[in-house]
Amino acid sequence: MLLSIYSQISLIGFAALGLVYCVFGYKYARFLLPVCCVLVLEVAIYLFVSETIIGDDIYVALFYGGSAIVLYIVLFFILRLSGFITGIMGAALFFVYFVYAFGLEHMPYVVPAYLALCILVGLLSAAYERTGVIAASSLLGGSLASGVVLFLIFSGGANVGVDESVLNVVYTIIRDNAYIFLIAAVVVTALGIFVQMKFTGFSQVLNKRATIRFEKRKPKRKLFKIKTGN
C-alpha cells in the first residue's frame, strides 16, 4: 500500500502528538486534552452533517474551522468533559488492540463489555485528578503513537486491493498484527505514566483557573454570618 506524502506527514504528526500526550499530558492538560477531543468531534460532525452542508469550499472550510474553535473553547473551560472524552478515546483505541490480540471480536457480549470499560475509564478521567489525567493522557498518547508508527511500518508491505477503503486497510493491519500493536501500546503507555509521575507531572499550567463551575454559591448573607459568627 502506497501512502501519499501528505498522508505520511499527517500520520507522523499524529504520532508526535501522541508522544507529547505521553510526556506532557498532565502539565499541559488544559491545552492538550481538548485537541484530540476536537478532532474526534469534528470527524463525527463530518460523518453526520457533511451531506447537508451546501456551499462552496470557503463556506465549508469556515464551517468546520469555526466549529473546531468553538468546541476547543468549550472543552478548554469545562475540564471534566475534556477529561471524560480523553479517557474514552484512549480506552477505545487500547481495547481495540486487546480485543483483536486475543481474538475476542466474535465473542458474545464483547461489545457491551467494551463500551462499559470505555465509559468507566472516561468517568475515572472526568474526576480530573492528577493520577487520572496522567493515566488517561498516557493511554491515549501511547496507543495513538505506537499504533500510527506500526501502521506506517506494516502498510508498506500490505497487500490490498486498489479500491479497498482506508478503514478496511487499517482493520486488516491491526487484526493481523494485533499482538505487536498491544505490546507496543502497553510499553509506550507505561513509559508515559513513568515519565509524568517522576518528571513532568508535578504541576499543571493554569491548574483549575478559568474553569466553568456549576456548583451553587452560598448567599452573601449566609456567608457573612458564617464568617462573623452571628
mmCIF file of all heavy atoms in Angstrom, residues 84 87-89 91-93 95-96 99 109-123:
data_model
loop_
_atom_site.group_PDB
_atom_site.id
_atom_site.type_symbol
_atom_site.label_atom_id
_atom_site.label_comp_id
_atom_site.label_asym_id
_atom_site.label_seq_id
_atom_site.Cartn_x
_atom_site.Cartn_y
_atom_site.Cartn_z
ATOM 1 N N PHE A 84 -13.192 13.440 30.338
ATOM 2 C CA PHE A 84 -14.076 12.305 30.045
ATOM 3 C C PHE A 84 -13.877 11.801 28.622
ATOM 4 O O PHE A 84 -13.712 10.602 28.382
ATOM 5 C CB PHE A 84 -15.532 12.729 30.267
ATOM 6 C CG PHE A 84 -16.541 11.671 29.939
ATOM 7 C CD1 PHE A 84 -16.696 10.571 30.763
ATOM 8 C CD2 PHE A 84 -17.334 11.774 28.814
ATOM 9 C CE1 PHE A 84 -17.634 9.583 30.472
ATOM 10 C CE2 PHE A 84 -18.263 10.802 28.502
ATOM 11 C CZ PHE A 84 -18.416 9.698 29.334
ATOM 12 N N GLY A 87 -10.427 10.124 28.189
ATOM 13 C CA GLY A 87 -10.408 8.768 28.747
ATOM 14 C C GLY A 87 -11.094 7.762 27.850
ATOM 15 O O GLY A 87 -10.590 6.649 27.639
ATOM 16 N N ILE A 88 -12.235 8.136 27.300
ATOM 17 C CA ILE A 88 -12.971 7.231 26.398
ATOM 18 C C ILE A 88 -12.148 6.937 25.144
ATOM 19 O O ILE A 88 -12.058 5.783 24.691
ATOM 20 C CB ILE A 88 -14.335 7.837 26.023
ATOM 21 C CG1 ILE A 88 -15.282 7.773 27.218
ATOM 22 C CG2 ILE A 88 -14.937 7.112 24.831
ATOM 23 C CD1 ILE A 88 -16.661 8.299 26.937
ATOM 24 N N MET A 89 -11.542 7.959 24.573
ATOM 25 C CA MET A 89 -10.758 7.778 23.352
ATOM 26 C C MET A 89 -9.557 6.865 23.582
ATOM 27 O O MET A 89 -9.280 5.960 22.778
ATOM 28 C CB MET A 89 -10.285 9.136 22.839
ATOM 29 C CG MET A 89 -11.389 10.018 22.306
ATOM 30 S SD MET A 89 -10.838 11.721 22.062
ATOM 31 C CE MET A 89 -9.426 11.469 21.022
ATOM 32 N N ALA A 91 -9.112 4.617 25.992
ATOM 33 C CA ALA A 91 -9.560 3.251 26.272
ATOM 34 C C ALA A 91 -10.077 2.570 25.017
ATOM 35 O O ALA A 91 -9.817 1.387 24.786
ATOM 36 C CB ALA A 91 -10.646 3.280 27.347
ATOM 37 N N ALA A 92 -10.807 3.307 24.183
ATOM 38 C CA ALA A 92 -11.367 2.717 22.969
ATOM 39 C C ALA A 92 -10.271 2.210 22.049
ATOM 40 O O ALA A 92 -10.349 1.094 21.516
ATOM 41 C CB ALA A 92 -12.236 3.748 22.248
ATOM 42 N N LEU A 93 -9.224 3.009 21.862
ATOM 43 C CA LEU A 93 -8.138 2.604 20.976
ATOM 44 C C LEU A 93 -7.347 1.444 21.572
ATOM 45 O O LEU A 93 -7.004 0.482 20.867
ATOM 46 C CB LEU A 93 -7.210 3.789 20.715
ATOM 47 C CG LEU A 93 -6.102 3.593 19.686
ATOM 48 C CD1 LEU A 93 -6.674 3.147 18.345
ATOM 49 C CD2 LEU A 93 -5.300 4.880 19.513
ATOM 50 N N PHE A 95 -8.333 -0.848 23.803
ATOM 51 C CA PHE A 95 -9.100 -2.092 23.856
ATOM 52 C C PHE A 95 -9.337 -2.689 22.478
ATOM 53 O O PHE A 95 -9.629 -3.885 22.367
ATOM 54 C CB PHE A 95 -10.422 -1.875 24.595
ATOM 55 C CG PHE A 95 -10.263 -1.716 26.083
ATOM 56 C CD1 PHE A 95 -10.803 -0.624 26.741
ATOM 57 C CD2 PHE A 95 -9.549 -2.650 26.818
ATOM 58 C CE1 PHE A 95 -10.651 -0.470 28.106
ATOM 59 C CE2 PHE A 95 -9.386 -2.505 28.188
ATOM 60 C CZ PHE A 95 -9.941 -1.414 28.834
ATOM 61 N N VAL A 96 -9.235 -1.877 21.416
ATOM 62 C CA VAL A 96 -9.283 -2.448 20.063
ATOM 63 C C VAL A 96 -8.109 -3.398 19.866
ATOM 64 O O VAL A 96 -8.265 -4.522 19.364
ATOM 65 C CB VAL A 96 -9.252 -1.320 19.004
ATOM 66 C CG1 VAL A 96 -8.912 -1.885 17.626
ATOM 67 C CG2 VAL A 96 -10.593 -0.621 18.941
ATOM 68 N N VAL A 99 -8.756 -6.568 22.079
ATOM 69 C CA VAL A 99 -9.788 -7.475 21.565
ATOM 70 C C VAL A 99 -9.261 -8.301 20.403
ATOM 71 O O VAL A 99 -9.440 -9.531 20.353
ATOM 72 C CB VAL A 99 -11.035 -6.665 21.140
ATOM 73 C CG1 VAL A 99 -11.986 -7.534 20.308
ATOM 74 C CG2 VAL A 99 -11.760 -6.129 22.361
ATOM 75 N N TYR A 109 -21.397 -10.608 23.901
ATOM 76 C CA TYR A 109 -21.319 -9.546 24.928
ATOM 77 C C TYR A 109 -19.999 -8.785 24.907
ATOM 78 O O TYR A 109 -19.730 -8.010 25.826
ATOM 79 C CB TYR A 109 -21.528 -10.125 26.342
ATOM 80 C CG TYR A 109 -22.771 -10.956 26.480
ATOM 81 C CD1 TYR A 109 -22.694 -12.325 26.724
ATOM 82 C CD2 TYR A 109 -24.032 -10.371 26.341
ATOM 83 C CE1 TYR A 109 -23.843 -13.085 26.844
ATOM 84 C CE2 TYR A 109 -25.181 -11.139 26.455
ATOM 85 C CZ TYR A 109 -25.081 -12.488 26.709
ATOM 86 O OH TYR A 109 -26.215 -13.239 26.819
ATOM 87 N N VAL A 110 -19.169 -8.986 23.891
ATOM 88 C CA VAL A 110 -17.900 -8.257 23.864
ATOM 89 C C VAL A 110 -18.143 -6.766 23.615
ATOM 90 O O VAL A 110 -17.447 -5.912 24.179
ATOM 91 C CB VAL A 110 -16.949 -8.837 22.802
ATOM 92 C CG1 VAL A 110 -17.475 -8.627 21.388
ATOM 93 C CG2 VAL A 110 -15.566 -8.221 22.944
ATOM 94 N N VAL A 111 -19.148 -6.433 22.807
ATOM 95 C CA VAL A 111 -19.433 -5.020 22.521
ATOM 96 C C VAL A 111 -19.942 -4.285 23.758
ATOM 97 O O VAL A 111 -19.432 -3.201 24.089
ATOM 98 C CB VAL A 111 -20.427 -4.895 21.350
ATOM 99 C CG1 VAL A 111 -20.853 -3.434 21.165
ATOM 100 C CG2 VAL A 111 -19.809 -5.424 20.066
ATOM 101 N N PRO A 112 -20.929 -4.831 24.506
ATOM 102 C CA PRO A 112 -21.339 -4.148 25.744
ATOM 103 C C PRO A 112 -20.203 -4.016 26.758
ATOM 104 O O PRO A 112 -20.073 -2.979 27.414
ATOM 105 C CB PRO A 112 -22.464 -5.038 26.294
ATOM 106 C CG PRO A 112 -22.984 -5.764 25.107
ATOM 107 C CD PRO A 112 -21.797 -5.987 24.230
ATOM 108 N N ALA A 113 -19.384 -5.067 26.881
ATOM 109 C CA ALA A 113 -18.254 -5.002 27.810
ATOM 110 C C ALA A 113 -17.245 -3.952 27.362
ATOM 111 O O ALA A 113 -16.708 -3.198 28.187
ATOM 112 C CB ALA A 113 -17.579 -6.373 27.909
ATOM 113 N N TYR A 114 -17.012 -3.882 26.064
ATOM 114 C CA TYR A 114 -16.087 -2.891 25.503
ATOM 115 C C TYR A 114 -16.574 -1.473 25.807
ATOM 116 O O TYR A 114 -15.811 -0.619 26.285
ATOM 117 C CB TYR A 114 -15.981 -3.122 24.003
ATOM 118 C CG TYR A 114 -15.147 -2.124 23.246
ATOM 119 C CD1 TYR A 114 -13.774 -2.296 23.106
ATOM 120 C CD2 TYR A 114 -15.740 -1.009 22.651
ATOM 121 C CE1 TYR A 114 -13.013 -1.379 22.395
ATOM 122 C CE2 TYR A 114 -14.976 -0.092 21.942
ATOM 123 C CZ TYR A 114 -13.614 -0.297 21.817
ATOM 124 O OH TYR A 114 -12.879 0.611 21.120
ATOM 125 N N LEU A 115 -17.846 -1.224 25.549
ATOM 126 C CA LEU A 115 -18.402 0.104 25.791
ATOM 127 C C LEU A 115 -18.395 0.453 27.273
ATOM 128 O O LEU A 115 -18.098 1.595 27.654
ATOM 129 C CB LEU A 115 -19.831 0.177 25.230
ATOM 130 C CG LEU A 115 -19.973 0.044 23.714
ATOM 131 C CD1 LEU A 115 -21.441 0.027 23.316
ATOM 132 C CD2 LEU A 115 -19.250 1.177 23.018
ATOM 133 N N ALA A 116 -18.712 -0.534 28.119
ATOM 134 C CA ALA A 116 -18.731 -0.289 29.560
ATOM 135 C C ALA A 116 -17.344 0.075 30.078
ATOM 136 O O ALA A 116 -17.198 0.988 30.907
ATOM 137 C CB ALA A 116 -19.265 -1.518 30.292
ATOM 138 N N LEU A 117 -16.313 -0.623 29.599
ATOM 139 C CA LEU A 117 -14.946 -0.321 30.034
ATOM 140 C C LEU A 117 -14.507 1.064 29.562
ATOM 141 O O LEU A 117 -13.852 1.804 30.300
ATOM 142 C CB LEU A 117 -13.986 -1.392 29.503
ATOM 143 C CG LEU A 117 -14.065 -2.763 30.177
ATOM 144 C CD1 LEU A 117 -13.214 -3.787 29.428
ATOM 145 C CD2 LEU A 117 -13.623 -2.670 31.630
ATOM 146 N N CYS A 118 -14.880 1.415 28.338
ATOM 147 C CA CYS A 118 -14.522 2.744 27.824
ATOM 148 C C CYS A 118 -15.182 3.844 28.648
ATOM 149 O O CYS A 118 -14.547 4.842 29.003
ATOM 150 C CB CYS A 118 -14.934 2.872 26.364
ATOM 151 S SG CYS A 118 -13.964 1.850 25.228
ATOM 152 N N ILE A 119 -16.465 3.669 28.964
ATOM 153 C CA ILE A 119 -17.160 4.665 29.772
ATOM 154 C C ILE A 119 -16.583 4.724 31.175
ATOM 155 O O ILE A 119 -16.455 5.814 31.762
ATOM 156 C CB ILE A 119 -18.668 4.344 29.814
ATOM 157 C CG1 ILE A 119 -19.273 4.520 28.417
ATOM 158 C CG2 ILE A 119 -19.386 5.238 30.825
ATOM 159 C CD1 ILE A 119 -20.715 4.099 28.316
ATOM 160 N N LEU A 120 -16.199 3.571 31.739
ATOM 161 C CA LEU A 120 -15.598 3.545 33.074
ATOM 162 C C LEU A 120 -14.302 4.336 33.108
ATOM 163 O O LEU A 120 -14.081 5.159 34.018
ATOM 164 C CB LEU A 120 -15.343 2.096 33.499
ATOM 165 C CG LEU A 120 -14.637 1.903 34.853
ATOM 166 C CD1 LEU A 120 -15.466 2.506 35.978
ATOM 167 C CD2 LEU A 120 -14.362 0.428 35.112
ATOM 168 N N VAL A 121 -13.442 4.125 32.113
ATOM 169 C CA VAL A 121 -12.187 4.882 32.046
ATOM 170 C C VAL A 121 -12.489 6.367 31.857
ATOM 171 O O VAL A 121 -11.831 7.235 32.447
ATOM 172 C CB VAL A 121 -11.298 4.361 30.904
ATOM 173 C CG1 VAL A 121 -10.047 5.214 30.757
ATOM 174 C CG2 VAL A 121 -10.900 2.909 31.165
ATOM 175 N N GLY A 122 -13.498 6.673 31.047
ATOM 176 C CA GLY A 122 -13.883 8.066 30.854
ATOM 177 C C GLY A 122 -14.347 8.721 32.144
ATOM 178 O O GLY A 122 -13.994 9.870 32.429
ATOM 179 N N LEU A 123 -15.120 7.995 32.947
ATOM 180 C CA LEU A 123 -15.592 8.535 34.222
ATOM 181 C C LEU A 123 -14.448 8.746 35.200
ATOM 182 O O LEU A 123 -14.419 9.734 35.949
ATOM 183 C CB LEU A 123 -16.644 7.598 34.829
ATOM 184 C CG LEU A 123 -17.980 7.525 34.081
ATOM 185 C CD1 LEU A 123 -18.871 6.459 34.690
ATOM 186 C CD2 LEU A 123 -18.689 8.884 34.109
#
